[in-house]
Amino acid sequence: MPDPRWDALAEILINHSVRLGSGETLLIECFDLPDSTLPRLLIQKAAARGGRVLVETRDNRIVREQVLRGSAESIETWGRIDRQRMEQVQAYLGLRGSWNISEMSDVPAEQLELYNALYQKPVHFERRVTNTKWCVLRLPTASMAQQAGMSTEAFEDFYFDVCTLDYGRMAQMLKPLVARMEKARDVRITGPETDLNFSIAGIPVVPCSGTMNIPDGEVFTAPVRDSINGVVRFNTPTIYQGASFDGVRLEFEAGKIVRADCSGGDVDKLRRIFDADEGARYTGEWSIGCNPKILKPMRDILFDEKIAGSFHLTPGNAYDEADNGNKSKIHWDLVQIQRPDYGGGTIAFDGEPIRIDGKFVVDDLRPLDSY
């Protein structure tokens, strides 16, 4: 008998995350899954709602070979065919297991750029993100437990604890933060090696409560494209395109990244990421993370960007829901935790501090620290 927590997660994904309707087609894309429990449950629940299901299973080692050995023509063909399939579906679930988070680390930058431009951009950024009800999530594996510095059993308990929250309640709890961000014009962020100013005036604000990511717990918008000035140092280790980076530090002038450094990782590779295209040196998202059950980074952005007391800033492509006009092949969420154990910091809207050292300091937002 499967762990009942899988059934609870499947219920959330079908009924809350993608809200599958009768007659709709759901694509379930599975990467390196440890077993078939969740996709089987999803198929059962989708069928019970009158939905149609397509399932794709992928091995990240094979994906690596496709990207590493692929010509521009072969990757374009792959992307064109998968986009045609994406155009036939109304909902998408990405179940992302991982045996090795660094699987793509030795793929040359020029091949990754082809993959981003000819596959990721047309299939996901241009079609899936903008035209389907979608949600992506990780699946717990021993390698993820190792990343988190936890035993496999303890990590599974943590995983289900944060992934099966009452997301309906979370949606209600996020409303005051949405209201404050919608009214705000100017944002200032300060902290260790950080003094950043930008405007969010006129950019839509989007609460995230289990409809696009599991786990969830953030509210995002985007900076006005040319408004960012200052410096920020991200204190959360990260992996992007298979490569690890620590202590990423960015300097901005009139919205553009004019200098990029890191304390750990290949600084030349870091800078090449921001040279992918013009939009890679501008930002497409800014978000406040507030999931009270996620406290420590584990080099997995779907978890790390939701950390209580954090924010993330995203060089690259903007989402249509909060569009500042920036377009890019990349979208890289970089996280700074502002709790005292990570050095502290302040976020202020129009000169008024709303969060200090990772805790909300205005009455209508205080409940977000402990819900």
Side-chain angles (χ1 to χ4, degrees), residues 193 231-234 247-251 259-262 270:
E193 297 184 60
V231 61
V232 57
R233 182 181 183 276
F234 301 98
V248 174
R249 182 182 183 276
L250 304 179
E251 294 181 20
R259 183 174 178 84
D261 295 287
C262 57
L270 173 75

Side-chain angles (χ1 to χ4, degrees), residues 129-254:
V129 169
T130 59
N131 292 280
T132 72
K133 298 178 289 184
W134 61 272
C135 186
V136 298
L137 66 156
R138 299 285 190 257
L139 276 293
T141 63
S143 64
M144 286 185 70
Q146 187 176 44
Q147 282 173 236
M150 302 170 71
S151 70
T152 304
E153 181 179 357
F155 181 77
E156 287 178 354
D157 290 341
F158 162 75
Y159 175 88
F160 286 112
D161 196 27
V162 301
C163 289
T164 59
L165 290 174
D166 183 342
Y167 286 109
R169 182 166 181 259
M170 177 185 284
Q172 295 301 312
M173 299 292 288
L174 294 176
K175 286 182 177 179
L177 181 55
V178 172
R180 281 189 173 264
M181 290 174 68
E182 287 176 337
K183 292 178 183 178
R185 295 184 60 82
D186 297 313
V187 176
R188 184 177 183 193
I189 303 173
T190 57
E193 297 184 60
T194 297
D195 193 344
L196 209 58
N197 295 274
F198 54 90
S199 172
I200 56 173
I203 308 294
V205 177
V206 182
C208 297
S209 53
T211 55
M212 291 181 285
N213 288 172
I214 296 287
D216 221 339
E218 64 172 292
V219 178
F220 76 86
T221 183
V224 173
R225 187 176 186 267
D226 61 355
S227 70
I228 304 182
N229 289 284
V231 61
V232 57
R233 182 181 183 276
F234 301 98
N235 56 15
T236 300
T238 182
I239 291 181
Y240 190 71
Q241 296 179 344
S244 296
F245 300 96
D246 293 345
V248 174
R249 182 182 183 276
L250 304 179
E251 294 181 20
F252 290 87
E253 291 180 7

Side-chain angles (χ1 to χ4, degrees), residues 27-45:
L27 171 61
I28 304 173
E29 197 171 31
C30 308
F31 294 82
D32 288 358
L33 294 198
D35 63 48
S36 63
T37 300
L38 183 58
R40 288 189 295 108
L41 288 168
L42 292 170
I43 293 168
Q44 294 166 19
K45 293 181 185 299

Side-chain angles (χ1 to χ4, degrees), residues 49-360:
R49 291 177 66 92
R52 300 183 292 262
V53 182
L54 304 175
V55 180
E56 175 79 20
T57 58
R58 298 187 187 272
D59 183 319
N60 280 322
R61 293 168 298 178
I62 295 174
V63 173
R64 174 184 173 276
E65 291 297 327
Q66 288 181 279
V67 177
L68 180 64
R69 316 291 177 189
S71 65
E73 292 77 12
S74 66
I75 296 175
E76 187 277 333
T77 300
W78 177 23
R80 174 163 40 83
I81 291 171
D82 277 12
R83 177 172 175 139
Q84 289 170 355
R85 179 178 59 180
M86 196 70 77
E87 290 171 350
Q88 305 304 309
V89 308
Q90 291 75 51
Y92 170 92
L93 288 171
L95 312 184
R96 300 178 180 177
S98 177
W99 303 120
N100 178 5
I101 198 169
S102 299
E103 194 66 62
M104 305 290 279
S105 62
D106 57 354
V107 177
E110 58 270 21
Q111 289 300 115
L112 290 171
E113 289 173 8
L114 284 177
Y115 176 60
N116 287 335
L118 301 177
Y119 187 90
Q120 293 287 77
K121 188 171 184 282
V123 177
H124 291 282
F125 289 158
E126 292 180 350
R127 184 65 202 180
R128 187 258 296 174
V129 169
T130 59
N131 292 280
T132 72
K133 298 178 289 184
W134 61 272
C135 186
V136 298
L137 66 156
R138 299 285 190 257
L139 276 293
T141 63
S143 64
M144 286 185 70
Q146 187 176 44
Q147 282 173 236
M150 302 170 71
S151 70
T152 304
E153 181 179 357
F155 181 77
E156 287 178 354
D157 290 341
F158 162 75
Y159 175 88
F160 286 112
D161 196 27
V162 301
C163 289
T164 59
L165 290 174
D166 183 342
Y167 286 109
R169 182 166 181 259
M170 177 185 284
Q172 295 301 312
M173 299 292 288
L174 294 176
K175 286 182 177 179
L177 181 55
V178 172
R180 281 189 173 264
M181 290 174 68
E182 287 176 337
K183 292 178 183 178
R185 295 184 60 82
D186 297 313
V187 176
R188 184 177 183 193
I189 303 173
T190 57
E193 297 184 60
T194 297
D195 193 344
L196 209 58
N197 295 274
F198 54 90
S199 172
I200 56 173
I203 308 294
V205 177
V206 182
C208 297
S209 53
T211 55
M212 291 181 285
N213 288 172
I214 296 287
D216 221 339
E218 64 172 292
V219 178
F220 76 86
T221 183
V224 173
R225 187 176 186 267
D226 61 355
S227 70
I228 304 182
N229 289 284
V231 61
V232 57
R233 182 181 183 276
F234 301 98
N235 56 15
T236 300
T238 182
I239 291 181
Y240 190 71
Q241 296 179 344
S244 296
F245 300 96
D246 293 345
V248 174
R249 182 182 183 276
L250 304 179
E251 294 181 20
F252 290 87
E253 291 180 7
K256 185 177 182 179
I257 298 169
V258 295
R259 183 174 178 84
D261 295 287
C262 57
S263 59
D266 186 333
V267 70
D268 291 331
K269 180 175 285 190
L270 173 75
R271 291 169 179 169
R272 283 198 300 270
I273 292 170
F274 299 128
D275 287 334
D277 52 36
E278 180 184 0
R281 286 191 173 266
Y282 292 84
T283 59
E285 180 189 353
W286 176 68
S287 182
I288 295 178
C290 48
N291 185 315
K293 293 185 178 293
I294 306 178
L295 299 175
K296 297 189 300 182
M298 51 179 283
R299 290 189 189 268
D300 190 304
I301 194 58
L302 283 181
F303 286 77
D304 294 351
E305 67 180 359
K306 317 302 191 316
I307 289 172
S310 75
F311 72 86
H312 59 273
L313 189 66
T314 308
N317 199 62
Y319 288 123
D320 282 3
E321 302 97 317
D323 192 2
N324 69 352
N326 199 49
K327 302 302 175 188
S328 176
K329 293 177 289 189
I330 78 163
H331 181 95
W332 186 8
D333 298 314
L334 291 162
V335 180
Q336 183 185 108
I337 305 170
Q338 294 191 305
R339 301 196 314 270
D341 47 332
Y342 287 85
T346 297
I347 297 175
F349 292 165
D350 299 321
E352 178 190 10
I354 60 102
R355 203 177 71 182
I356 298 175
D357 293 345
K359 293 288 187 181
F360 290 106

